[in-house]
Amino acid sequence: MTILLIYIAIFIGAFLVVKFITSRLEQRHDFTSLKTVTFGDESAVTANRTASVISIVAIFLIWGAFTGSKLTPIHAPGPYQGKGQFDYVVEGPDGQRDTASVFWQVEDKKGAAEDLEIAEGDGFALNDAINIIKYRSGQLRWDGNDAVSRKDGARIVEVDGQATDFDPNQRDADGNLVQDRPRFRIDNGSVTMTDKGALLITPYQGWQMEPIWLPSPEAVWSRIVEIASEGYQNNTLLQHLGWSLFRVVAGFFFGALIGIPLGYAMGLSDWFRGWFDPIVEFMRPVPPLALIPLVIIWAGIGEVGKVILLFLAALWIMTIAARAGVSGVNITKVHAAYSLGASRWQIMRHVIVPNSLPEIFTGARVAMGVCWGTVVAAELVAAEKGAGMMIMVASKFQLTDIVIMGIILIGIIGYGIDILMRRAERWLVPWKGRS
Amino acid sequence: MSGLVLDAISMRFDLPNGDHVQALKNVSLDIKTGELMSVLGPSGCGKTTLLNIIAGFLAPTEGAVTLNGHLVTGPHQERGMVFQKGALFEWMNVRENVAFGPRMNGVPKSESAGKVDHLLEVVGLHDFKEKAIYELSGGMQQRVALARCLANEPDVILMDEPLGALDALTREKMQGLVLKLWKETGKTIILITHSVEEALLLGERLIVMAPRPGRIHKEYNLPFAEMGVGADLREVKHHAEYALTREEILNMIWDMEEEIMGRTEGAA
Ligand SMILES: Nc1ncnc2c1ncn2[C@@H]1O[C@H](COP(=O)(O)OP(=O)(O)OP(=O)(O)O)[C@@H](O)[C@H]1O
Ligand SMILES: [Mg+2]
């Protein structure tokens, strides 16, 4: 929630700052800047590059700030690291009171810090010392070293000057507590009491995320470097990604190989259309993910199963695109070609096929995106290698940095595929949308 | 037998709801080789249907079309067609579009290249040979369509409102071009138009059609096409007879439109 607010603040702040600077710096006089109507004129809206850059930087800044990254100059407050001390007052079974101190310190992981050396103190309640692991709470059985114990009826009546009448021995018939458990403030943290009257010390946690939830950017980066060179689960990073890509390309290739001619046949012959319409219309709304279990049953988790799945994912999309491409041909073009002496085959080759290319490219872009998503999902379910499998295995071992690395790489590759398809489209069908 | 003969053509469209439209009824025409004929008529009187039948895209329900003695049964390169718009191939450049007909008919590139170049010269697009279709203006695109049709050396050129989508000035220039091509090539040309002025200029013979059922209402033989070849078309329009005929035809079509409106209003 706080993060969202911060993000919105950065969005608005950057907008105001950039608009202010650009309005000062440059007075553009190109065509767009002279348009008086820009709201609602989509062609006047181009992505503001500065905004894109700031957007990416902002995400990394927030990510770094909340994970204690060394790369970012500012940080959200981190967890308290260091020592602390508070006093508590014990009331013995006989009603006598004695004060003792608790000395605590935060350690990075279990056994990282040496035990604190403390003076025992006096009275029947002795001082205690405890090490608490970062981001965790420490439970202190304060009576462990005292002359009186909870079993005897001794209880804490005051922590750092904050009194309480909580008595863990007061229970109802079901054995539940009658009173609410108290909570005390101490320097750099808080203390609560457990059901049994022990002290639960929680040092100040801060706003940052634990690495196990969200590792810092540099941790993810060093994971990328490490896995790129050493590999993970018997395969290098490139092999994992390469296998995923290979499956997508192979599945898409076969899908297009069958789907495009099928789509043409459906656009040109009533028999084909009648025969395949029910099948295509039925398969179209079935998400490829729903086919994963069946494909695994039939073909196993090996390459064949994956390629079949992606083939099925691409097939219907390409069929429908090719069919739409044929139906979309302007009848005057066909008429013109006939009266110029073209045969049926020539019309197919020189009019219908080129005319359907824009539609087919649109379909191919969609199919590639769907295939990429499907392959990752299929690898999440079952695979021996691949980007999705890497994430899945890492998540089982709570290696969040690998999971995040995988997600980032999957996103980058998916984006890259789409950019490549768009390039190819502009190169191969430059007339798209211009007739 | 030479020339284009339409023998008692009738065309009936059966509609899915059981109704039918009598688009053409008993249309007979004898068009000599090299004739320039324009066709006028209110919207929906069957002009496009007639042209599609001649082109071979539609088979008439009754009657027959013969060209130079043989029966027309389907589209053929002997009858070229120029459409109002949208018939050029965007995936080819200007030159490839013009060379399409010869290429489809197996003429080697080396043979057709000269003719294609010449035609592009004639329609004034020599400098735009390698341009893509979508880079051309509407008028240029229609000139490409004309050149593409001519490259096949058809006996008959059919034009369905070929200049309908152009602005007045471009249109006038294109009218001059059509006349020039007609005179130079000696082709039979049938041209459908909505503009009375254009029909007068581009028709040695002018046919006015009437709707419901589509039929030939009146026929004119006019001198303006001959006068217009190589001349200033605006001069021709100042001819006294031109203005008279124009008024006469305008009134005629106006009356037909009135009648249609009246009939539909009466029916409603
Ligand atoms: N495929 C078809 N199916 C049913 N009716 C048709 C079909 N084609 C044309 N018609 C009908 O035939 C009549 C003649 O149509 P046509 O297109 O030939 O008219 P037109 O004179 O070319 O009109 P316009 O000047 O508007 O182009 C119209 O009433 C039209 O509704
Ligand atoms: Mg028409």
Side-chain angles (χ1 to χ4, degrees):
Chain A
M1 195 59 212
T2 328
I3 296 182
L4 183 68
L5 287 179
I6 293 176
Y7 190 72
I8 293 173
I10 294 180
F11 176 85
I12 296 171
F15 174 76
L16 293 178
V17 169
V18 170
K19 284 289 163 189
F20 179 72
I21 293 175
T22 45
S23 70
R24 276 294 184 78
L25 279 184
E26 44 177 334
Q27 289 289 330
R28 282 192 309 159
H29 279 295
D30 65 356
F31 179 62
T32 305
S33 73
L34 293 176
K35 280 185 180 175
T36 53
V37 176
T38 50
F39 187 79
D41 177 0
E42 204 270 339
S43 67
V45 180
T46 49
N48 187 324
R49 288 296 150 210
T50 324
S52 307
V53 171
I54 296 179
S55 161
I56 294 171
V57 171
I59 287 176
F60 273 91
L61 269 184
I62 292 180
W63 181 9
F66 280 88
T67 51
S69 163
K70 293 184 188 67
L71 300 175
T72 44
I74 40 169
H75 291 119
Y80 180 72
Q81 281 171 299
K83 297 175 184 171
Q85 185 222 330
F86 64 92
D87 299 333
Y88 64 89
V89 177
V90 181
E91 189 181 271
D94 51 1
Q96 278 195 342
R97 294 187 174 198
D98 187 24
T99 306
S101 294
V102 175
F103 298 86
W104 53 272
Q105 68 173 344
V106 177
E107 58 185 0
D108 275 341
K109 48 182 163 246
K110 197 164 177 55
E114 298 196 0
D115 287 348
L116 289 169
E117 286 192 17
I118 54 163
E120 244 186 10
D122 51 9
F124 60 85
L126 299 182
N127 294 346
D128 305 273
I130 183 172
N131 284 353
I132 303 170
I133 302 167
K134 197 160 115 185
Y135 287 115
R136 305 266 180 281
S137 301
Q139 186 173 339
L140 177 71
R141 294 203 314 286
W142 48 269
D143 52 351
N145 57 354
D146 293 350
V148 293
S149 75
R150 283 176 280 165
K151 250 184 276 164
D152 306 332
R155 64 182 189 90
I156 286 182
V157 291
E158 206 181 299
V159 170
D160 251 6
Q162 299 153 61
T164 177
D165 53 4
F166 176 74
D167 184 352
N169 293 320
Q170 286 189 24
R171 305 275 173 151
D172 62 15
D174 299 329
N176 293 323
L177 285 177
V178 199
Q179 294 158 294
D180 286 338
R181 291 190 284 140
R183 184 186 150 86
F184 313 98
R185 302 168 162 283
I186 57 170
D187 289 341
N188 300 317
S190 64
V191 173
T192 54
M193 275 164 82
T194 67
D195 282 3
K196 299 204 168 109
L199 291 174
L200 197 63
I201 306 160
T202 312
Y204 177 66
Q205 298 278 322
W207 290 95
Q208 294 185 5
M209 306 276 273
E210 240 181 294
I212 199 155
W213 304 123
L214 183 68
S216 62
E218 63 259 37
V220 173
W221 174 248
S222 63
R223 256 313 179 193
I224 296 182
V225 174
E226 181 200 319
I227 292 184
S229 57
E230 289 168 30
Y232 184 65
Q233 298 286 324
N234 306 327
N235 284 284
T236 66
L237 184 63
L238 273 182
Q239 276 172 324
H240 280 298
L241 298 176
W243 272 106
S244 295
L245 259 181
F246 164 77
R247 291 162 179 159
V248 166
V249 171
F252 172 79
F253 173 78
F254 289 114
L257 195 70
I258 307 290
I260 293 175
L262 183 61
Y264 282 147
M266 286 177 72
L268 295 169
S269 140
D270 60 343
W271 184 256
F272 269 92
R273 176 166 296 196
W275 189 279
F276 287 105
D277 242 357
I279 304 177
V280 171
E281 295 303 329
F282 173 76
M283 288 305 293
R284 170 154 78 160
V286 176
L289 298 186
L291 300 174
I292 294 178
L294 190 63
V295 170
I296 290 179
I297 292 173
W298 283 354
I301 64 164
E303 292 316 307
V304 181
K306 298 278 180 306
V307 174
I308 289 179
L309 181 72
L310 297 176
F311 162 76
L312 289 174
L315 178 64
W316 314 117
I317 300 176
M318 294 313 291
T319 306
I320 288 163
R323 188 184 66 183
V326 179
S327 338
V329 61
N330 190 342
I331 187 64
T332 59
K333 288 193 179 31
V334 176
H335 277 170
Y338 269 118
S339 34
L340 288 165
S343 65
R344 280 174 173 224
W345 167 245
Q346 285 173 320
I347 284 179
M348 179 76 202
R349 171 155 155 37
H350 296 291
V351 180
I352 292 178
V353 169
N355 191 75
S356 64
L357 283 183
E359 287 277 359
I360 287 184
F361 257 96
T362 310
R365 259 177 73 189
V366 175
M368 271 300 210
V370 170
C371 280
W372 183 243
T374 308
V375 80
V376 172
E379 288 164 355
L380 285 177
V381 175
E384 285 145 359
K385 50 206 170 220
M389 170 269 185
M390 208 162 61
I391 298 182
M392 196 61 211
V393 175
S395 86
K396 284 188 186 140
F397 295 107
Q398 295 212 327
L399 295 168
T400 318
D401 44 3
I402 296 186
V403 174
I404 290 190
M405 174 198 84
I407 292 172
I408 292 176
L409 290 176
I410 288 168
I412 289 176
I413 291 177
Y415 191 37
I417 290 176
D418 200 59
I419 288 179
L420 278 183
M421 297 293 285
R422 256 187 279 180
R423 285 265 167 83
E425 186 176 74
R426 220 175 304 153
W427 181 53
L428 288 170
V429 284
W431 68 87
K432 185 179 178 189
R434 297 220 237 166
S435 57
Chain B
M1 273 256 312
S2 84
L4 184 66
V5 180
L6 277 64
D7 182 20
I9 302 278
S10 291
M11 188 76 201
R12 217 177 96 148
F13 289 110
D14 290 321
L15 302 178
N17 60 11
D19 261 0
H20 60 83
V21 180
Q22 191 73 41
L24 292 172
K25 181 141 193 187
N26 213 10
V27 175
S28 290
L29 271 172
D30 214 328
I31 303 153
K32 290 189 296 293
T33 302
E35 196 162 47
L36 176 62
M37 187 176 94
S38 56
V39 181
L40 262 180
S43 187
C45 70
K47 304 182 295 288
T48 300
T49 307
L50 185 68
L51 213 65
N52 281 343
I53 289 174
I54 300 173
F57 303 142
L58 285 173
T61 39
E62 281 165 56
V65 181
T66 48
L67 174 61
N68 299 333
H70 64 263
L71 199 65
V72 165
T73 54
H76 191 272
Q77 61 264 32
E78 67 192 7
R79 283 162 279 120
M81 185 106 176
V82 178
F83 297 85
Q84 183 172 3
K85 60 189 284 203
L88 294 173
F89 306 133
E90 285 93 2
W91 45 94
M92 300 177 185
N93 64 23
V94 170
R95 187 176 42 73
E96 289 164 334
N97 260 284
V98 176
F100 185 80
R103 184 168 158 218
M104 291 303 106
N105 292 300
V107 180
K109 221 179 205 162
S110 50
E111 265 176 55
S112 66
K115 183 162 66 183
V116 170
D117 273 354
H118 170 71
L119 281 172
L120 284 172
E121 196 97 52
V122 170
V123 298
L125 286 177
H126 203 264
D127 296 337
F128 296 87
K129 272 203 292 197
E130 306 299 330
K131 280 263 193 295
I133 294 301
Y134 50 80
E135 294 173 290
L136 303 184
S137 70
M140 289 164 144
Q141 293 189 4
Q142 282 315 80
R143 283 189 268 164
V144 176
L146 264 178
R148 183 176 73 173
C149 182
L150 288 169
N152 245 357
E153 299 192 356
D155 298 327
V156 180
I157 300 177
L158 308 168
M159 303 190 188
D160 191 353
E161 297 178 40
L163 313 182
L166 305 181
D167 66 282
L169 218 66
T170 318
R171 193 164 183 163
E172 204 168 296
K173 283 193 195 141
M174 290 291 287
Q175 289 166 348
L177 179 64
V178 170
L179 280 180
K180 176 178 139 195
L181 290 174
W182 168 61
K183 207 67 217 171
E184 280 176 7
T185 59
K187 306 265 181 223
T188 312
I189 298 181
I190 303 179
L191 181 140
I192 292 178
T193 173
H194 268 135
S195 147
V196 177
E197 303 214 340
E198 187 167 280
L200 289 169
L201 284 173
L202 301 184
E204 283 184 294
R205 189 172 168 194
L206 191 163
I207 292 206
V208 182
M209 289 180 67
R212 313 194 176 196
R215 61 195 185 273
I216 294 172
H217 181 70
K218 197 160 165 120
E219 221 186 296
Y220 294 85
N221 285 302
L222 302 166
F224 310 117
E226 202 67 53
M227 289 159 66
V229 175
D232 185 351
L233 293 181
R234 257 166 281 182
E235 297 279 304
V236 179
K237 287 185 192 174
H238 287 130
H239 206 277
E241 204 190 329
Y242 180 93
L244 275 176
T245 329
R246 189 186 64 195
E247 287 313 306
E248 185 184 325
I249 296 175
L250 274 174
N251 282 332
M252 194 186 298
I253 293 179
W254 183 252
D255 286 348
M256 285 187 219
E257 300 268 18
E258 289 264 274
E259 200 187 323
I260 298 173
M261 299 291 272
R263 230 190 291 170
T264 44
E265 268 166 28

